[in-house]
Amino acid sequence: MKIEVEQLGDLNKAKEAGHNKNFNFLSEALTAQNKDVTAIVNSLAEFQVAIPSWALGAGGTRFGRFGFQGEPSNLGQKIDDIGMLHQLTRTAGAVSLHIPWDVPEDYMAIKELASSHNILFDAVNSNTFQDQANAKHSYKFGSLSNISKVSRDQAIAHNLDVVKIGDKLGSKSLTVWLADGSNFPGQSNFQDALQHTEDSLKEIYKGLPEDWKLFIEYKPYEPNFYSTVIQDWGTSFMLANACGDKAYTLVDLGHHLPNTNIEQIVSTLMLKGKLGGFHFNDSKYGDDDLTVGSVKPYALFLIFNALVYGMENNPQNPYPAWMIDASHNIKDPLEDLMQSLEAIQEAYAKALLVDQTKLRDAQANHDVVTCQEILQNAYRTDVRPLLEKARLNAGGAINPVAAYRELEIRKKLIQERGANSIATGL
Ligand code: LRH
Ligand code: MN
C-alpha cells in the first residue's frame, strides 16, 4: 500500500513546529561543539538497513505463535510492506530474502515492484536448517558439516541455487548460517564437522560471481544445545580466511553468550578487514530476536562507536551490510521494525557525536575519566531531532509509528488481506 505524499505532509505539518524548535536548539548546541550537523544528518539519510523478508508477520516460539492480522501472504505483499516502511522511515531501502521461504514466482514483476518502492535486494539467505518436502537427504544431523557426503552435496547445491536466485534479483551477497552441531557429548567428531564445513564453504565460494560476498554467520547454540560447528566469531573468521577475500564474518547481535564484548569483536574484525555485516536485534538471555535497542541501548551505542571508528580508520574493511533479524511475537511487526530502525539510527547518530580525536588523546594520557565522559556526553545527547530532520529531508514522516497509527495502516491491511493471512518465515 502506498501512502499519499499529501497525507504525510499533513501529518508532518502538525509536528513541524515542535521538531523545528528541538532541531534548532540541538543544532546550536552541536555547532558550538564544532559538530557538522548537516554532515551528520546526511550520514543518517544515507544509512539504509535491509528488512528481513522472514520478519513481516508474527513470529513464535515452540510454545506457540499468536498471529497478527493483515500479514503479507506472498513476496509481493512483503515488498509492499517494506515499501511502506521505507516511505515513513526513509531508512529501510532494502530487503534480505530467505530461500526457500521467499522464492520469487515472477522475477521481473518482483524487481519492478521493488524498484517502484526504491527497495534494493541485499544479502540472500540459504536455509539448510529445515528439510524441504521434496528433499532426498535430511539435514537432521547437519548440512555442510554432515558426515554423509550426499547431505553435504545437497546443501552445497542449495546454496549455489540461492546465489543464482539472488543474482537474478541484483543481490550481491550470500549469508550462510548453519544450525549444524550436536545435542549430546560424543554425538559428533568436532574436527570432521569443521573440516567438512570448511571444504563445503569453499565449494560454495567457488560458485560466487566475481563481485559477490559470502557472509558466514556464527551462533553459540540453538537449535543444537551441546555444540554448534560455527559457534563464535573466531570460527567464522577462520573459515572466511580459509575461503578467501570475498568471505566475511556476519555479526548477529543475538548470537553471543551473556556479557560478550561485541564491540571488541567488531573492532577486531574491522582491523582484519573481515567484518561483512550485521543482523541487528536485541536480547536479554539468548537469541531472543527482540526490538533493536529495547534491552541494551548503551551496548548498541558502543558497537556503533566501534563501527564509526572502523569506518573512519579501516579502509581495509568494506562498507558493512546493515540488516535487521528480529522476530515479532507480540508486537505489530511493522511497528516493531520501525522501532528497530529508530534505535539503529539513534545509536549511529550518537556514535557520530563522539570526538574520536579527543578520545584518542585521553586514551594516550590514560585519562580514563575523560574517556568515559567523551562517550557518555555523546550517548546522553537526545539526537532524535537529527533523525527527524533526515526523514523530513527525504520526504518521510517526522514520527513514523505515530503516522502509521494515524493513517490506520494495519486496519487497511486487514481490510485488503483479511484477518487470517499468514506470512512465511520464522
Ligand atoms: C539464526 C538466524 C539466521 C537466519 C535465521 C532466520 O538464528 O539468525 O540469521 O537464517 O535467524
Ligand atoms: Mn541472524
Side-chain angles (χ1 to χ4, degrees):
M1 74 174 308
K2 281 249 167 144
I3 301 166
E4 300 313 318
V5 175
E6 300 68 45
Q7 285 179 300
L8 218 40
D10 299 345
L11 289 174
N12 283 339
K13 247 200 205 8
K15 295 181 171 53
E16 219 144 296
H19 161 72
N20 289 339
K21 188 165 124 314
N22 296 337
F23 179 76
N24 297 337
F25 173 79
L26 178 60
S27 301
E28 234 172 84
L30 293 178
T31 307
Q33 296 169 32
N34 300 324
K35 302 290 179 202
D36 181 342
V37 173
T38 307
I40 294 172
V41 169
N42 292 342
S43 296
L44 293 174
E46 283 150 23
F47 194 92
Q48 296 296 317
V49 178
I51 304 297
S53 62
W54 60 92
L56 291 158
T61 72
R62 59 186 167 162
F63 302 105
R65 178 183 180 281
F66 302 95
F68 217 89
Q69 301 187 327
E71 294 186 15
S73 54
N74 58 50
L75 184 53
Q77 290 180 349
K78 289 185 176 189
I79 303 269
D80 282 341
D81 284 1
I82 297 171
M84 190 278 301
L85 281 178
H86 194 38
Q87 254 196 295
L88 292 175
T89 67
R90 307 314 293 163
T91 185
V95 58
S96 180
L97 295 186
H98 218 298
I99 308 295
W101 292 335
D102 299 297
V103 178
E105 274 144 27
D106 177 337
Y107 283 84
M108 282 322 290
I110 282 294
K111 285 176 79 172
E112 274 154 27
L113 180 64
S115 67
S116 74
H117 288 296
N118 305 312
I119 301 287
L120 299 174
F121 289 92
D122 204 313
V124 281
N125 300 264
S126 60
N127 177 341
T128 58
F129 50 86
Q130 294 171 328
D131 287 343
Q132 304 312 315
N134 54 8
K136 280 208 196 66
H137 309 289
S138 172
Y139 296 137
K140 179 176 179 179
F141 295 108
S143 62
L144 299 183
S145 74
N146 199 310
I147 203 162
S148 103
K149 185 167 184 335
V150 286
S151 290
R152 298 200 302 272
D153 292 345
Q154 178 181 284
I156 292 166
H158 165 68
N159 277 278
L160 296 174
D161 290 345
V162 173
V163 170
K164 290 194 186 70
I165 291 170
D167 202 28
K168 281 194 261 183
L169 293 167
S171 172
K172 293 294 180 193
S173 50
L174 167 71
T175 296
V176 174
W177 167 68
L178 300 183
D180 293 31
S182 65
N183 268 322
F184 301 96
Q187 175 187 336
S188 85
N189 177 300
F190 297 139
Q191 296 189 356
D192 289 353
L194 183 58
Q195 195 56 56
H196 287 321
T197 301
E198 180 176 322
D199 299 343
S200 301
L201 284 170
K202 284 177 175 172
E203 288 307 307
I204 295 168
Y205 187 86
K206 282 188 204 141
L208 283 184
E210 200 36 49
D211 59 351
W212 270 55
K213 293 189 180 94
L214 171 63
F215 297 149
I216 302 172
E217 184 177 1
Y218 58 90
K219 184 175 181 177
Y221 70 95
E222 189 205 38
N224 277 296
F225 295 103
Y226 170 64
S227 74
T228 295
V229 178
I230 310 181
Q231 60 167 323
D232 60 11
W233 75 270
T235 308
S236 166
F237 178 68
M238 198 170 54
L239 291 166
N241 282 314
C243 287
D245 296 348
K246 295 187 290 187
Y248 299 88
T249 292
L250 186 138
V251 177
D252 183 314
L253 298 186
H255 293 184
H256 300 88
L257 298 175
N259 309 324
T260 299
N261 186 327
I262 303 175
E263 57 270 26
Q264 185 181 8
I265 293 172
V266 168
S267 296
T268 302
L269 290 169
M270 293 191 91
L271 180 63
K272 298 301 178 185
K274 279 297 186 187
L275 176 70
F278 277 86
H279 279 180
F280 291 115
N281 47 54
D282 207 340
S283 51
K284 179 76 177 155
Y285 303 102
D287 189 18
D288 311 341
D289 280 345
L290 300 176
T291 315
V292 181
S294 61
V295 178
K296 308 190 291 287
Y298 192 61
L300 183 68
F301 161 72
L302 293 174
I303 289 167
F304 267 91
N305 178 53
L307 277 167
V308 167
Y309 179 86
M311 289 195 279
E312 288 172 3
N313 296 279
N314 305 138
Q316 67 272 32
N317 198 91
Y319 184 78
W322 316 113
M323 295 168 274
I324 289 174
D325 184 358
S327 175
H328 322 289
N329 299 352
I330 55 172
K331 290 182 181 178
D332 177 324
L334 300 174
E335 293 185 343
D336 198 337
L337 287 163
M338 285 187 274
Q339 290 186 315
S340 282
L341 291 164
E342 180 83 1
I344 292 167
Q345 286 257 317
E346 190 181 9
Y348 183 38
K350 290 179 183 218
L352 289 171
L353 294 182
V354 173
D355 187 325
Q356 297 290 346
T357 312
K358 277 210 183 101
L359 182 59
R360 292 304 298 271
D361 296 347
Q363 288 164 342
N365 304 325
H366 304 306
D367 182 351
V368 182
V369 170
T370 300
C371 291
Q372 183 171 321
E373 289 300 310
I374 291 169
L375 284 185
Q376 297 200 330
N377 282 344
Y379 181 72
R380 290 168 176 155
T381 305
D382 181 356
V383 294
R384 290 175 293 179
L386 302 177
L387 279 60
E388 293 170 354
K389 175 59 82 179
R391 287 193 288 267
L392 263 180
N393 291 351
I398 287 177
N399 183 327
V401 171
Y404 175 84
R405 290 192 171 192
E406 285 160 38
L407 293 168
E408 297 186 313
I409 293 179
R410 177 54 60 184
K411 195 164 151 212
K412 292 180 181 130
L413 289 173
I414 294 169
Q415 282 155 356
E416 238 180 68
R417 297 168 182 175
N420 307 318
S421 55
I422 294 197
T424 54
L426 273 186

